[in-house]
mmCIF file of all heavy atoms in Angstrom:
data_model
loop_
_atom_site.group_PDB
_atom_site.id
_atom_site.type_symbol
_atom_site.label_atom_id
_atom_site.label_comp_id
_atom_site.label_asym_id
_atom_site.label_seq_id
_atom_site.Cartn_x
_atom_site.Cartn_y
_atom_site.Cartn_z
ATOM 1 N N SER S 198 6.508 -3.037 12.900
ATOM 2 C CA SER S 198 5.822 -3.935 13.832
ATOM 3 C C SER S 198 4.488 -3.344 14.273
ATOM 4 O O SER S 198 3.455 -4.039 14.274
ATOM 5 C CB SER S 198 6.702 -4.202 15.058
ATOM 6 O OG SER S 198 7.924 -4.813 14.679
ATOM 7 N N ALA S 233 -14.768 -14.491 -2.104
ATOM 8 C CA ALA S 233 -13.336 -14.624 -2.369
ATOM 9 C C ALA S 233 -12.854 -15.926 -1.726
ATOM 10 O O ALA S 233 -13.528 -16.504 -0.871
ATOM 11 C CB ALA S 233 -12.588 -13.422 -1.810
ATOM 12 N N ILE S 254 9.375 2.360 5.819
ATOM 13 C CA ILE S 254 10.666 2.910 5.389
ATOM 14 C C ILE S 254 10.504 4.380 4.986
ATOM 15 O O ILE S 254 11.346 5.227 5.335
ATOM 16 C CB ILE S 254 11.233 2.088 4.219
ATOM 17 C CG1 ILE S 254 11.620 0.692 4.711
ATOM 18 C CG2 ILE S 254 12.435 2.788 3.582
ATOM 19 C CD1 ILE S 254 12.010 -0.273 3.598
ATOM 20 N N LYS S 308 -0.025 0.892 -20.121
ATOM 21 C CA LYS S 308 1.400 0.568 -20.028
ATOM 22 C C LYS S 308 1.858 0.382 -18.583
ATOM 23 O O LYS S 308 2.934 -0.161 -18.340
ATOM 24 C CB LYS S 308 2.228 1.663 -20.702
ATOM 25 C CG LYS S 308 2.055 1.717 -22.216
ATOM 26 C CD LYS S 308 2.986 2.743 -22.844
ATOM 27 C CE LYS S 308 2.845 2.740 -24.365
ATOM 28 N NZ LYS S 308 3.724 3.737 -25.017
ATOM 29 N N PRO S 325 -11.402 -6.791 3.647
ATOM 30 C CA PRO S 325 -10.523 -5.905 4.430
ATOM 31 C C PRO S 325 -9.039 -6.158 4.205
ATOM 32 O O PRO S 325 -8.230 -5.227 4.284
ATOM 33 C CB PRO S 325 -10.929 -6.216 5.871
ATOM 34 C CG PRO S 325 -12.367 -6.594 5.778
ATOM 35 C CD PRO S 325 -12.470 -7.373 4.489
ATOM 36 N N ASN S 368 -9.980 3.059 4.311
ATOM 37 C CA ASN S 368 -9.578 2.116 3.267
ATOM 38 C C ASN S 368 -10.185 0.733 3.515
ATOM 39 O O ASN S 368 -10.644 0.064 2.584
ATOM 40 C CB ASN S 368 -8.047 2.029 3.232
ATOM 41 C CG ASN S 368 -7.511 1.623 1.877
ATOM 42 O OD1 ASN S 368 -8.268 1.357 0.950
ATOM 43 N ND2 ASN S 368 -6.204 1.558 1.754
ATOM 44 N N ALA S 387 -23.670 14.658 2.709
ATOM 45 C CA ALA S 387 -22.459 13.840 2.806
ATOM 46 C C ALA S 387 -22.419 12.771 1.716
ATOM 47 O O ALA S 387 -21.344 12.422 1.217
ATOM 48 C CB ALA S 387 -22.368 13.199 4.190
ATOM 49 N N ASP S 425 -23.489 3.701 -12.971
ATOM 50 C CA ASP S 425 -24.422 2.861 -12.226
ATOM 51 C C ASP S 425 -24.245 2.963 -10.716
ATOM 52 O O ASP S 425 -24.904 2.230 -9.963
ATOM 53 C CB ASP S 425 -24.249 1.387 -12.634
ATOM 54 C CG ASP S 425 -24.703 1.127 -14.056
ATOM 55 O OD1 ASP S 425 -25.530 1.905 -14.564
ATOM 56 O OD2 ASP S 425 -24.217 0.148 -14.656
ATOM 57 N N TYR S 426 -23.376 3.870 -10.271
ATOM 58 C CA TYR S 426 -23.069 3.902 -8.829
ATOM 59 C C TYR S 426 -24.302 4.129 -7.958
ATOM 60 O O TYR S 426 -24.603 3.331 -7.066
ATOM 61 C CB TYR S 426 -22.014 4.954 -8.513
ATOM 62 C CG TYR S 426 -21.937 5.263 -7.033
ATOM 63 C CD1 TYR S 426 -21.710 4.234 -6.112
ATOM 64 C CD2 TYR S 426 -22.146 6.548 -6.543
ATOM 65 C CE1 TYR S 426 -21.677 4.485 -4.749
ATOM 66 C CE2 TYR S 426 -22.112 6.806 -5.186
ATOM 67 C CZ TYR S 426 -21.886 5.775 -4.285
ATOM 68 O OH TYR S 426 -21.871 6.025 -2.931
ATOM 69 N N LYS S 446 -33.915 -10.644 -5.140
ATOM 70 C CA LYS S 446 -33.656 -9.422 -5.908
ATOM 71 C C LYS S 446 -33.139 -9.776 -7.290
ATOM 72 O O LYS S 446 -33.513 -9.164 -8.289
ATOM 73 C CB LYS S 446 -32.639 -8.546 -5.165
ATOM 74 C CG LYS S 446 -32.484 -7.145 -5.755
ATOM 75 C CD LYS S 446 -33.747 -6.342 -5.600
ATOM 76 C CE LYS S 446 -33.565 -4.926 -6.145
ATOM 77 N NZ LYS S 446 -34.799 -4.143 -6.064
ATOM 78 N N ALA S 452 -36.475 -11.056 -14.234
ATOM 79 C CA ALA S 452 -37.847 -11.028 -14.734
ATOM 80 C C ALA S 452 -38.111 -9.772 -15.539
ATOM 81 O O ALA S 452 -38.809 -9.797 -16.551
ATOM 82 C CB ALA S 452 -38.829 -11.116 -13.555
#
Side-chain angles (χ1 to χ4, degrees):
S198 300
I254 292 172
K308 292 185 177 179
N368 206 358
D425 292 336
Y426 165 56
K446 190 66 178 177

